[in-house]
C-alpha cells in the first residue's frame, strides 16, 4: 500500500471514531454524586470518560460504558470502586496560598477567553489578580471584552510582538503577585485550581515551579478522542517533586525530558525566581517560527538554577482539545518542533549544559523514537488514569509529522531569534528604541 493510500485509510478510520461523554463522579463516604463535565450535557448511555474525585479531590480517571436503559450513576459508581481502591485517601488540606498573579495570554478568541475568565473569577483562592495579555491583536475585541464585562477585576495588557513566550514575559513584567500562574484561554479552571497549584510554594522555600493536572473538557470529535486515548496532556495522579540535587533514578534524561513535568496550560512559578532566570525565551512558543517549547524551556531553566519543581494532580484545569484532523497535523508538527527548539534554546543560552546534554544524547534519541512511534491499540504507558486501552491506533502520518517537526525545530529557533533581532532593529531605526 502506498503512503498516500495508507494516509487515506488512516483518515477513514479516524473519522469513524465516535464521541465520548465526559463526567465527574465525586465519592464522599457512602455518597456518590455524578455530574457532567464542564459544558457537557447530562450523562446517558454509551462511553463515558470519568474523573473520579474523593471528597472533591481528583484521584483517577477511567473509561466506562453505560448500557442503554441503565442508570448512569449506579453503573459508573460501581466501576469507580476499582479506581478508589488503588489510591490513598487524599487527606490534608492545602496550606494558605500566597498572593498570586494569574496570566492568560490570548489572541482573537474572545468567546473562549470569557469562558476561561469566568472560571478564574470563581476560584476559592482569596488573594489573586488576573492579567490578560492581548498578543499581537488585529482587532479591539479582546480589549473591549475585558473592559466591558470584567472592568477592574481583570487587568488588560497589550503586547504587539507575536509569540506566546513574549506574551508571558509581558505578563511577568506586569505581575504583582509573589507567585505567577499561567493558563490558556481554552481552559476551564476547577474552583480549587489556583489554591492547590500555589499552596506548595508556602510549604517549600526551594520550590521554583509547580504544575497541575489537565483533563479534556469534552470528547466530541474524533480528534479529541484520539488525542486523549493516547494520553492527552495528563501527567497522572501521583504528586511528584523534581529536585536537581536529587535527580530521579527512573529519569535518565533529567532534566531534559521537560515534557514529563507538565504543560503551559497549568503552571506556576515563584515570581522572583522566574525573573531571576530571565523569564521565557522569546524565540520559543506558539506564534513564532519555533512553534512551541516555551513552557519546557521555563521548566528546565528553573531546575538548572537549583530550584525544585512540583507536580500536583489536585490542581485541575479542563482543556478544550483541538477538534479536527488538520488540527492534529498542525499539533503533531508543532510539538516536534517545539521539543527540539527548546533544547536548542537551552544549549544556546546555557552552553555549560552541553556536556550533560551530550552524555544523555544517545538515550535522548531513543526517547525521541519512542515519542514518535506509531502506537497501536492495546499499548500502555501514557494515557491518564486507568483507561489506557488505546482503542484507536496513532496514525503514521502524525508520527511522521512529529519527526519532521523535530528536524525543523532548531532551524525554527534560529529563525525566531533572527526575527526578534530584525524587529528590534526596526524599532531602533524608527526612533522608538529597543523594547
Amino acid at each position: 500500500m502506498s503512503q498516500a493510500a495508507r494516509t487515506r485509510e488512516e483518515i477513514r478510520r479516524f473519522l469513524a471514531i465516535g464521541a465520548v461523554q465526559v463526567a465527574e463522579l465525586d465519592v464522599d463516604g457512602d455518597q456518590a454524586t455524578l455530574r457532567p463535565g464542564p459544558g457537557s450535557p447530562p450523562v446517558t448511555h454509551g462511553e463515558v470518560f470519568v474523573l473520579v474525585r474523593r471528597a472533591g479531590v481528583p484521584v483517577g480517571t477511567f473509561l466506562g460504558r453505560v448500557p442503554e436503559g441503565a442508570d448512569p450513576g449506579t453503573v459508573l459508581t460501581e466501576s469507580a470502586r476499582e479506581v478508589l481502591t488503588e489510591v490513598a485517601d487524599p487527606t490534608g488540606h492545602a496550606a494558605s496560598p500566597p498572593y498570586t498573579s494569574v496570566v492568560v495570554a490570548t489572541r482573537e478568541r474572545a468567546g473562549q477567553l470569557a469562558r476561561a475568565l469566568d472560571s478564574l473569577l470563581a476560584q476559592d483562592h482569596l488573594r489573586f489578580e488576573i492579567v490578560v495579555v492581548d498578543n499581537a491583536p488585529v482587532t479591539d475585541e479582546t480589549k473591549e471584552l475585558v473592559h466591558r464585562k470584567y472592568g477592574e477585576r481583570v487587568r488588560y495588557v497589550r503586547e504587539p510582538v507575536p509569540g506566546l513566550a513574549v506574551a508571558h514575559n509581558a505578563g511577568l513584567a506586569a505581575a504583582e503577585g509573589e507567585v505567577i500562574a499561567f493558563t490558556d484561554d481554552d481552559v476551564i479552571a476547577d474552583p480549587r485550581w489556583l489554591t492547590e497549584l500555589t499552596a506548595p510554594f508556602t510549604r517549600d522555600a526551594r520550590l521554583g515551579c509547580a504544575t497541575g493536572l489537565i483533563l479534556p473538557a469534552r470528547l466530541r470529535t474524533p480528534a479529541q478522542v484520539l488525542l486523549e486515548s493516547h494520553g492527552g496532556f495528563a501527567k497522572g495522579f501521583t504528586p511528584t517533586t523534581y529536585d536537581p540535587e536529587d535527580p530521579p533514578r527512573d529519569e535518565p534524561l533529567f532534566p531534559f525530558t521537560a515534557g514529563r513535568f507538565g504543560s503551559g496550560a497549568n503552571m506556576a512559578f515563584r515570581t522572583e525566581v522566574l525573573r531571576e532566570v530571565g523569564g521565557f525565551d522569546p524565540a520559543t512558543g506558539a506564534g513564532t517560527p519555533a512553534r512551541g517549547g516555551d513552557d519546557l524551556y521555563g521548566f528546565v531553566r528553573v531546575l538548572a538554577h537549583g530550584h525544585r519543581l512540583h507536580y500536583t494532580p489536585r490542581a485541575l484545569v479542563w482543556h478544550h482539545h483541538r477538534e479536527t484532523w488538520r488540527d492534529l497535523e498542525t499539533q503533531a508538527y508543532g510539538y516536534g518542533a517545539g521539543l527540539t527548539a527548546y533544547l536548542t534554546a537551552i544549549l544556546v543560552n546555557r552552553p555549560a549544559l552541553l556536556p550533560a546534554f551530550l552524555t544523555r544524547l544517545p538515550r535522548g534519541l531513543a526517547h525521541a523514537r519512542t515519542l514518535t512511534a506509531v502506537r497501536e491499540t492495546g499499548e500502555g504507558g501514557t494515557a491518564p488514569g486507568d483507561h489506557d486501552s488505546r482503542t484507536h491506533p496513532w496514525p503514521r502520518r502524525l508520527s511522521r509529522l512529529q519527526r519532521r517537526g523535530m528536524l525543523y525545530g532548531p532551524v525554527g529557533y534560529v529563525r525566531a531569534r533572527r526575527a526578534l533581532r530584525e524587529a528590534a532593529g526596526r524599532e531602533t531605526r524608527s526612533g522608538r528604541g529597543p523594547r
Side-chain angles (χ1 to χ4, degrees):
M1 183 183 295
S2 68
Q3 182 170 305
R6 186 180 296 115
T7 297
R8 286 194 296 271
E9 174 61 18
E10 287 182 336
I11 294 176
R12 185 194 66 78
R13 293 167 63 183
F14 165 80
L15 293 173
I17 297 175
V20 177
Q21 302 169 84
V22 177
E24 302 179 67
L25 184 66
D26 195 349
V27 180
D28 190 353
D30 295 332
Q31 302 296 316
T33 303
L34 178 69
R35 55 181 175 266
S40 296
V43 179
T44 61
H45 65 275
E47 280 195 312
V48 190
F49 175 92
V50 183
L51 166 67
V52 181
R53 299 178 186 260
R54 178 176 277 161
V57 178
V59 295
T61 60
F62 69 93
L63 188 63
R65 176 174 289 277
V66 178
E68 190 167 0
D71 175 62
T74 301
V75 172
L76 296 176
T77 298
E78 184 61 31
S79 300
R81 298 299 179 192
E82 183 177 346
V83 174
L84 291 168
T85 57
E86 294 177 358
V87 298
D89 188 12
T91 55
H93 299 281
S96 178
Y99 178 54
T100 301
S101 299
V102 182
V103 173
V104 184
T106 187
R107 187 173 191 269
E108 305 301 336
R109 300 204 296 189
Q112 292 192 64
L113 175 63
R115 182 177 56 200
L117 291 177
D118 289 344
S119 72
L120 293 175
L121 288 168
Q123 295 296 298
D124 69 357
H125 193 296
L126 297 178
R127 299 182 298 146
F128 71 99
E129 64 167 355
I130 300 175
V131 179
V132 167
V133 180
D134 197 1
N135 189 213
V138 295
T139 72
D140 288 331
E141 187 177 11
T142 298
K143 181 179 180 180
E144 291 172 355
L145 169 73
V146 171
H147 291 326
R148 181 186 72 252
K149 184 176 181 180
Y150 300 103
E152 296 181 356
R153 294 181 297 170
V154 176
R155 280 203 286 146
Y156 174 87
V157 174
R158 183 180 183 273
E159 172 50 65
V161 177
L164 186 57
V166 175
H168 281 169
N169 284 340
L172 176 62
E176 298 176 355
E178 178 185 342
V179 168
I180 182 168
F182 297 90
T183 191
D184 292 345
D185 60 7
D186 56 0
V187 310
I188 297 175
D190 195 63
R192 286 193 58 78
W193 166 69
L194 193 59
T195 294
E196 297 291 357
L197 184 65
T198 60
F201 290 95
T202 301
R203 296 191 295 264
D204 185 354
R206 281 193 56 214
L207 191 65
C209 178
T211 61
L213 177 65
I214 303 174
L215 292 180
R218 56 190 179 190
L219 296 171
R220 298 177 184 173
T221 72
Q224 293 171 335
V225 176
L226 177 63
L227 178 63
E228 193 61 33
S229 74
H230 285 264
F233 299 95
K235 308 302 177 186
F237 288 84
T238 303
T240 306
T241 298
Y242 298 92
D243 188 341
E245 295 184 1
D246 184 20
R249 292 184 177 85
D250 60 345
E251 294 275 358
L253 303 178
F254 181 86
F256 298 109
T257 49
R260 294 178 181 267
F261 305 149
S263 299
N266 192 352
M267 61 182 183
F269 298 83
R270 200 178 298 277
T271 307
E272 64 178 5
V273 168
L274 189 57
R275 287 172 175 162
E276 284 172 1
V277 302
F280 301 94
D281 188 326
T284 60
T288 72
R291 300 293 199 94
D294 54 305
D295 51 351
L296 308 183
Y297 178 81
F299 299 154
V300 173
R301 209 172 204 183
V302 167
L303 287 165
H305 278 75
H307 302 281
R308 294 190 183 106
L309 183 152
H310 180 70
Y311 167 76
T312 173
R314 288 176 174 248
L316 166 66
V317 298
W318 300 89
H319 181 261
H320 286 79
H321 294 351
R322 303 186 189 188
E323 297 186 353
T324 69
W325 172 264
R326 181 64 64 187
D327 289 339
L328 283 183
E329 289 184 324
T330 302
Q331 192 171 39
Y333 186 85
Y335 280 177
L339 175 65
T340 51
Y342 106 82
L343 291 173
T344 305
I346 290 172
L347 299 181
V348 168
N349 293 295
R350 290 186 60 85
L353 293 176
L354 181 59
F357 177 77
L358 292 176
T359 299
R360 294 163 172 80
L361 184 59
R363 290 183 178 179
L365 293 174
H367 178 66
R369 284 194 295 271
T370 301
L371 281 176
T372 60
V374 177
R375 303 187 289 273
E376 299 296 341
T377 58
E379 298 179 7
T382 62
D386 302 310
H387 76 282
D388 192 11
S389 57
R390 284 188 178 167
T391 51
H392 312 290
W394 190 252
R396 286 178 169 81
R397 173 162 176 77
L398 298 182
S399 293
R400 288 196 301 270
L401 284 170
Q402 192 168 2
R403 290 192 182 106
R404 290 178 192 171
M406 292 172 72
L407 292 174
Y408 165 80
V411 176
Y413 179 72
V414 171
R415 289 177 177 173
R417 285 173 63 93
R418 183 185 303 127
L420 286 170
R421 287 196 300 270
E422 291 174 352
R426 286 193 296 270
E427 289 197 352
T428 300
R429 289 192 296 272
S430 69
R432 287 176 291 181
R435 289 186 54 81

